[in-house]
Amino acid sequence: MIGKIVIFILVSLNTVTINGEEIFSLKTKYEVEIEIEGTDQNSIKQGMQNAFSSLLISLSGNSTILDESSVKKALKNPEKFINQYKLEATENGLISIFSFHGDSLRLFLSQNSLPLWVSKKPLILSFLPCKEDSNYSIDIEERVICDALEGSLFELSQSRNSKVMHPIMDLRDITYFDSLNSFSATKFMNKMKRRYLTSSWLLCFTRDSFGILLESPLCQSSESSDQRPLKQTFNELLDKLNIKESLVVDKSRKNQTLIKVAGVSDFSNLEKLVGDINSQVLVFDTLINEIKDDEVLISISHYGKKEDLLSLLGKNSGFEQIILQSGDIISYKYLNT
């Protein structure tokens, strides 16, 4: 069996951030470490497919992307997207580390009109009543189920590039918890989310409405009141959250946007600036119109709306927007010098 997939991010000078947090889908390079069964070609290719699948889910922010016909076709030849790999023997078995270039992956998504998730990690308020139940430390069977539930939630949040927070359970939270049975779970969690200033929540039960222990926990979320297994509920919640922060390159719509960039001190900086602009997933051409002192006037040809491009540049740590009077050319200060 293929073991747990863990994604490691290479640190690079071109790291993209929002408020100091890296945006996963806009990184320069990726490394995916995964357990494989052997050194034969079939095992290595299976590892490549699993690594590629995991990375595509993370880049798109969508767990259903593997159902797309273009993705199914690409998964038959994952080696096309891998620039190198290495094998290592560990105490727990054999692992392989696969390296991917971010630009080629984003190009694949854009060419096939697949979403690119461009946001910081979503924050989800998670509540497990079994952890607060006074019988938790007494009922061994429920404790095993509850601990497994907590562990699975942590692994899911890691694999889906999200953050899970839990209530601090002070006197106020305990009062809410004691009243849980008096009103619906949705109302209870909505009260909690207002206190913790989050928009999304997840609630999982180990017992049914009659207090009988469930064989498998059931969960519901801020996106659906239906009670279903954790993985299904969590993935659907993340898919709906991420689609709101995803970008689909519309190649049928082309635009040209003029921007001014300050802070370009020499030819080397200019080359780097043009390279950074051209690496943006929406951009297909750039033209330097004018250079004056350390300012460069650039015409950018791109797909989608002007607002899409500006939003993308705004998420790049190398560009700091300069606020000018309305009607002036959109200006940035270039920081990757």
Side-chain angles (χ1 to χ4, degrees):
M1 293 293 292
I2 298 297
K4 186 192 306 180
I5 297 174
V6 183
I7 295 180
F8 292 90
I9 313 305
L10 288 178
V11 177
S12 71
L13 292 177
N14 293 329
T15 296
V16 183
T17 64
I18 292 182
N19 298 327
E21 181 178 319
E22 297 172 342
I23 299 181
F24 183 85
S25 63
L26 299 180
K27 293 181 181 296
T28 304
K29 296 180 181 179
Y30 300 89
E31 284 194 348
V32 180
E33 178 182 305
I34 185 173
E35 293 178 12
I36 59 175
E37 294 182 339
T39 58
D40 58 283
Q41 289 300 311
N42 287 337
S43 295
I44 293 174
K45 184 160 186 174
Q46 183 65 56
M48 288 181 176
Q49 290 174 331
N50 281 274
F52 189 32
S53 297
S54 174
L55 195 48
L56 285 176
I57 290 174
S58 295
L59 289 170
S60 66
N62 193 324
S63 65
T64 65
I65 194 172
L66 303 183
D67 296 329
E68 297 287 341
S69 58
S70 56
V71 173
K72 290 180 179 179
K73 183 179 180 180
L75 282 171
K76 293 179 181 178
N77 297 290
E79 59 273 8
K80 291 182 179 180
F81 299 88
I82 295 171
N83 59 299
Q84 66 178 21
Y85 73 92
K86 59 182 179 180
L87 304 177
E88 291 184 4
T90 69
E91 294 180 356
N92 298 321
L94 189 66
I95 65 170
S96 185
I97 302 173
F98 301 101
S99 298
F100 299 80
H101 278 306
D103 287 345
S104 62
L105 292 169
R106 286 185 286 274
L107 179 62
F108 168 74
L109 293 175
S110 66
Q111 287 178 334
N112 292 280
S113 298
L114 297 171
L116 180 70
W117 173 54
V118 285
S119 180
K120 61 183 179 181
K121 294 180 179 180
L123 180 63
I124 300 169
L125 176 64
S126 171
F127 186 57
L128 310 179
C130 60
K131 299 293 289 186
E132 310 306 327
D133 194 332
S134 59
N135 294 321
Y136 170 76
S137 59
I138 301 174
D139 192 325
I140 297 178
E141 185 179 1
E142 182 171 19
R143 186 171 63 198
V144 170
I145 294 175
C146 191
D147 288 348
L149 171 65
E150 186 176 36
S152 296
L153 176 57
F154 175 76
E155 290 181 3
L156 274 172
S157 68
Q158 292 288 98
S159 67
R160 290 301 309 271
N161 291 299
S162 61
K163 294 179 180 179
V164 172
M165 65 177 294
H166 304 282
I168 58 176
M169 294 311 293
D170 58 7
L171 192 58
R172 187 174 177 182
D173 286 344
I174 292 173
T175 301
Y176 288 163
F177 178 63
D178 289 340
S179 63
L180 175 59
N181 292 327
S182 65
F183 50 82
S184 74
T186 299
K187 289 183 178 179
F188 166 74
M189 289 305 296
N190 284 337
K191 285 172 67 74
M192 295 290 277
K193 80 170 186 179
R194 284 195 292 271
R195 183 182 185 196
Y196 289 93
L197 303 177
T198 61
S199 59
S200 308
W201 54 261
L202 181 79
L203 175 64
C204 296
F205 295 98
T206 52
R207 294 180 178 273
D208 63 18
S209 57
F210 298 101
I212 299 174
L213 190 64
L214 298 167
E215 290 186 9
S216 298
L218 294 176
C219 306
Q220 62 187 82
S221 74
S222 50
E223 294 291 337
S224 175
S225 59
D226 295 335
Q227 293 194 357
R228 290 167 295 181
L230 170 64
K231 186 174 183 179
Q232 181 182 359
T233 304
F234 192 87
N235 278 332
E236 288 185 1
L237 171 62
L238 262 294
D239 290 349
K240 290 181 179 179
L241 292 177
N242 290 343
I243 197 64
K244 301 171 185 176
E245 299 290 342
S246 295
L247 177 69
V248 177
V249 179
D250 181 5
K251 292 200 170 182
S252 66
R253 184 170 188 172
K254 296 182 179 181
N255 267 307
Q256 202 168 64
T257 299
L258 190 66
I259 67 170
K260 182 183 291 184
V261 183
V264 184
S265 58
D266 54 36
F267 184 73
S268 176
N269 289 158
L270 180 61
E271 281 189 316
K272 187 181 290 186
L273 168 64
V274 173
D276 278 353
I277 292 176
N278 285 333
S279 69
Q280 304 301 306
V281 68
L282 294 174
V283 176
F284 61 85
D285 194 22
T286 57
L287 177 66
I288 298 176
N289 291 5
E290 181 182 276
I291 300 177
K292 185 177 181 181
D293 297 328
D294 72 337
E295 293 184 341
V296 184
L297 193 63
I298 303 177
S299 178
I300 303 175
S301 299
H302 60 91
Y303 301 110
K305 298 179 294 184
K306 174 182 178 180
E307 290 75 17
D308 294 332
L309 174 67
L310 299 183
S311 175
L312 198 58
L313 290 175
K315 291 178 170 62
N316 192 309
S317 62
F319 295 87
E320 180 182 282
Q321 187 168 3
I322 301 172
I323 306 300
L324 301 173
Q325 293 181 355
S326 177
D328 288 340
I329 296 175
I330 298 165
S331 299
Y332 294 90
K333 181 177 181 181
Y334 187 55
L335 304 179
N336 280 348
T337 56

